Each structure stands twice: as structure tokens, then as C-alpha cells.
Amino acid sequence: MKNRLLGRAIENGYRNLIRHPKWRWWVILGSLLYLVSPLDFLPDVFPVIGWIDDGLIATLAITEISQFLLENRRHVGRKFTPNSSEKAEEAVIDVPSVSVA
């Protein structure tokens, strides 16, 4: 039970830090440095066990970055979407016609 609570606390802390504009890029940079660093919480010389911490950090980073990008994309899309009256006006195209006979 304690391990699950600790894991959830770490995940929530990471999520809150990466969503904070002031700390976002530092957390991303720190995550990338941790992944390429030979110094780990669980050393990579132990097969499988040594890769677990790297996998968790990579999964958290990718998940949170993609979630952040999707939220910003939706926000930007809503920002520039015209309202229904503008759509109706944009759909009408006036073209001068010339009769050929």
C-alpha cells in the first residue's frame, strides 16, 4: 500500500512540475539527461531491473509531453475557430457570371 501511494505521489509530482510553465523545460531536460546518464537509481548493468527506472521516466515524460501538446492543440484550435455566423458567410461565394450564347 505504501509503495503504491509513493508511486502515485511521484507521478503526480512529475505531472504537476511538467505542466507548470516555469519548470516544464527543466523537467524535460532533466528527464532526458537521466535517460542518457550512466548514473541511475537502478544501474543498467542489471538486466531488466536496471531498465525499469529508465522505462518509467521515459513513459512519464512521453505521456505528459504528448498530453500537453494535445491540450495546447485543442486550445489553439478553439481560439481560431469562427463562430457559426462567420461559417455561414464564408460558405457563400459570389462569382460574377457572364452569359455565353
Side-chain angles (χ1 to χ4, degrees):
M1 184 77 167
K2 282 186 178 182
N3 290 338
R4 180 177 276 180
L5 291 175
L6 179 62
R8 191 58 75 175
I10 291 171
E11 181 182 350
N12 287 337
Y14 188 88
R15 179 175 289 135
N16 290 335
L17 279 174
I18 205 164
R19 290 184 181 191
H20 192 284
K22 184 177 180 181
W23 302 109
R24 179 177 304 128
W25 295 111
W26 289 108
V27 173
I28 292 171
L29 180 65
S31 298
L32 291 174
L33 288 174
Y34 182 81
L35 291 174
V36 298
S37 171
L39 302 173
D40 283 346
F41 182 70
L42 296 171
D44 292 341
V45 295
F46 302 114
V48 181
I49 295 172
W51 303 325
I52 291 175
D53 62 335
D54 293 337
L56 290 174
I57 294 292
T59 302
L60 278 173
I62 290 169
T63 302
E64 291 304 317
I65 292 169
S66 62
Q67 188 70 23
F68 171 75
L69 292 174
L70 286 174
E71 287 175 2
N72 280 348
R73 182 175 180 202
R74 285 187 211 130
H75 178 69
V76 169
R78 272 186 266 143
K79 193 183 228 179
F80 297 107
T81 302
N83 62 27
S84 60
S85 64
E86 291 175 350
K87 285 183 180 178
E89 292 172 6
E90 290 176 355
V92 177
I93 300 173
D94 291 328
V95 178
S97 61
V98 178
S99 90
V100 179

